[in-house]
Amino acid sequence: MSCRVVVLLSGRGSNFQAIVEAALPIEIVAVISNRPQAAGLAFAREHGLKTVALDHTVHTEREAFDAQLADEIERHQPDLVVLAGYMRILSPAFIKRFEGRLLNIHPSLLPMFPGLKTHERALAEGVKIHGCTVHFVTAQLDHGPIVIQAAVPVRADDTTITLATRVLAQEHQIYPQAIRWFAEGKLVNNGGCVNLKGDLTSQSVLSTGA
Ligand code: GRF
């Protein structure tokens, strides 16, 4: 039986697109967005996938919106929920409902630079290596058991755009990989450290960067 996946997104959906194009052993059973106009939803529709738009602006309370969102997700009986550029903080009650089957991608080498504007902050700090992380979501923002990370070099002439582009190319590699591992049942959580069954090296990707 293939792994049933619900995708949540808010915007352009390039990670979601990479996941679709990777032809993974999964069934994307729904794509849900808090923004009805998200480009990612249009891509999903073009690919014949079930889409749901739940406009968060009609709810004043985060908890009420998240409860509705969680009910919608559960209707699709997912084995895995994938946050692919879902730009809203999730309430603790939501996270608890899906803990252990909720993945996120973040554009930094966590635990460095949680939150927003990661590329700007990396450049401002003068770090020489930057990257991206796929992790299980826990109640602490952008913190949770790490599945895979990709590192890229930071060039002296980088702008936030060139750096973001280099990181994004790696995001498109590691997110499908992480989902494949989950679907194949290869991820083992050893007290907060996620390891890959029988594989000691594949969870770190060192890119030479373009
Ligand atoms: C990505 O940079 C991802 O790491 C972050 O949000 C962005 C989403 O981009 N969580 P896209 O919508 O997948 O193109």
Side-chain angles (χ1 to χ4, degrees), residues 115-151:
L116 298 173
K117 297 190 184 295
T118 55
H119 308 308
E120 285 91 325
R121 287 154 62 205
L123 288 176
E125 291 289 348
V127 300
K128 307 307 176 208
I129 295 174
H130 186 44
C132 47
T133 304
V134 178
H135 66 99
F136 283 102
V137 177
T138 58
Q140 199 179 339
L141 179 69
D142 295 330
H143 199 98
I146 292 171
V147 176
I148 184 169
Q149 293 186 303

Side-chain angles (χ1 to χ4, degrees), residues 9-17 83-87 104-108 119 132-133 167-168 171-172:
L9 52 80
S10 302
R12 69 186 162 180
S14 71
N15 276 287
F16 163 56
Q17 207 166 315
L83 304 179
Y86 183 71
M87 301 307 285
N104 182 42
I105 187 153
H106 184 76
S108 80
H119 308 308
C132 47
T133 304
V167 171
L168 193 64
E171 293 185 34
H172 296 165

Side-chain angles (χ1 to χ4, degrees), residues 80-96:
L80 176 65
V81 179
V82 167
L83 304 179
Y86 183 71
M87 301 307 285
R88 274 176 64 83
I89 291 176
L90 292 163
S91 54
F94 179 98
I95 292 168
K96 204 165 187 320

Side-chain angles (χ1 to χ4, degrees), residues 9-179:
L9 52 80
S10 302
R12 69 186 162 180
S14 71
N15 276 287
F16 163 56
Q17 207 166 315
I19 291 162
V20 169
E21 285 165 1
L24 301 170
I26 61 172
E27 188 187 348
I28 298 176
V29 288
V31 181
I32 304 176
S33 179
N34 61 312
R35 292 190 186 278
Q37 303 310 323
L41 275 190
F43 178 84
R45 277 192 293 269
E46 282 160 22
H47 284 73
L49 296 169
K50 161 106 185 131
T51 60
V52 181
L54 282 181
D55 189 348
H56 71 271
T57 58
V58 301
H59 285 268
T60 46
E61 285 204 14
R62 184 180 304 279
E63 285 69 22
F65 177 76
D66 280 3
Q68 193 194 341
L69 178 63
D71 288 345
E72 178 60 39
I73 293 170
E74 266 173 3
R75 282 192 334 105
H76 304 284
Q77 301 180 309
D79 301 300
L80 176 65
V81 179
V82 167
L83 304 179
Y86 183 71
M87 301 307 285
R88 274 176 64 83
I89 291 176
L90 292 163
S91 54
F94 179 98
I95 292 168
K96 204 165 187 320
R97 258 168 100 167
F98 297 102
E99 204 156 358
R101 51 184 177 132
L102 186 56
L103 282 179
N104 182 42
I105 187 153
H106 184 76
S108 80
L109 291 173
L110 291 174
M112 270 190 296
F113 309 125
L116 298 173
K117 297 190 184 295
T118 55
H119 308 308
E120 285 91 325
R121 287 154 62 205
L123 288 176
E125 291 289 348
V127 300
K128 307 307 176 208
I129 295 174
H130 186 44
C132 47
T133 304
V134 178
H135 66 99
F136 283 102
V137 177
T138 58
Q140 199 179 339
L141 179 69
D142 295 330
H143 199 98
I146 292 171
V147 176
I148 184 169
Q149 293 186 303
V152 303
V154 180
R155 292 171 46 122
D157 61 353
D158 266 330
T159 63
T160 54
I161 292 172
T162 57
L163 186 54
T165 304
R166 192 174 309 123
V167 171
L168 193 64
Q170 292 306 311
E171 293 185 34
H172 296 165
Q173 301 300 315
I174 67 170
Y175 215 0
Q177 177 64 80
I179 294 166

